[in-house]
Amino acid sequence: MTGVNRKRPGQWITMIGFCIAMEVILARFLSLHTWNLKIGFSFLPVVAAAYWGGPLAGGLTGALGDLIGALLFPVGAYFPGFTLSAFLDGAVYGVIFQKGTGRKQILLAVLIVQLGISLLLNTFWLTVLFQVSWKDLVALRLFQCATGIVIKVLLLGLVLPVLQKHLEKMA
């Protein structure tokens, strides 16, 4: 089911646009932001785009959602590193979910995103942006990462089967 639908490019663009709009709304208006933490559900439209359209769709949704949100509704200074991280989030979900959306794939995708991108890469971006010690900051971000793993695995286990049913109806 995943991958760019070459027969219907208009549908692909519409779906990505909708997911980008939902990502901006969830990230900028329905999430909690502090200087070093972000808690919310803006990952869901990125996952939906990645599941439906593959790694490029997921990556574009994450990156364009971050860029548009930062330009229209800034929460702080824009930093392109977070846009790269947002692209990588969506691309990881797209690559992993091409092989299926079972428990193993969900856990693997969430672990890569939470540990590799959120904990390691985004913590590095924060150290560059705010000139703080990586060691001190990573300790603070461990709770967010651990909580994110649990929440994302549970939510994706519930949401992906529903998403799959709806996307099958669209096909």
Side-chain angles (χ1 to χ4, degrees), residues 126-142:
L126 288 167
T127 64
V128 169
L129 193 58
F130 294 107
Q131 302 297 306
V132 294
S133 162
W134 190 86
K135 193 166 96 174
D136 294 337
L137 192 54
V138 77
L140 291 171
R141 292 178 47 81
L142 277 170

Side-chain angles (χ1 to χ4, degrees), residues 107-122:
L107 182 60
L108 178 62
V110 168
L111 286 174
I112 292 170
V113 166
Q114 286 299 111
L115 296 175
I117 300 169
S118 181
L119 186 63
L120 298 178
L121 188 57
N122 285 348

Side-chain angles (χ1 to χ4, degrees), residues 58-117:
L60 286 175
T61 299
L64 290 174
D66 181 73
L67 182 61
I68 292 167
L71 293 173
L72 296 178
F73 311 105
V75 176
Y78 173 72
F79 185 74
F82 295 120
T83 303
L84 173 61
S85 293
F87 179 87
L88 292 173
D89 284 353
V92 165
Y93 286 120
V95 168
I96 303 282
F97 292 159
Q98 283 182 330
K99 297 173 182 141
T101 56
R103 289 182 183 146
K104 288 180 184 178
Q105 288 92 353
I106 291 172
L107 182 60
L108 178 62
V110 168
L111 286 174
I112 292 170
V113 166
Q114 286 299 111
L115 296 175
I117 300 169

Side-chain angles (χ1 to χ4, degrees), residues 8 22-23 25 27 51 58 62 70 87 89 111 121 123-124 129 162:
R8 302 182 199 181
M22 290 305 302
E23 195 281 339
I25 291 167
Y51 175 74
F87 179 87
D89 284 353
L111 286 174
L121 188 57
T123 302
F124 173 72
L129 193 58
V162 174

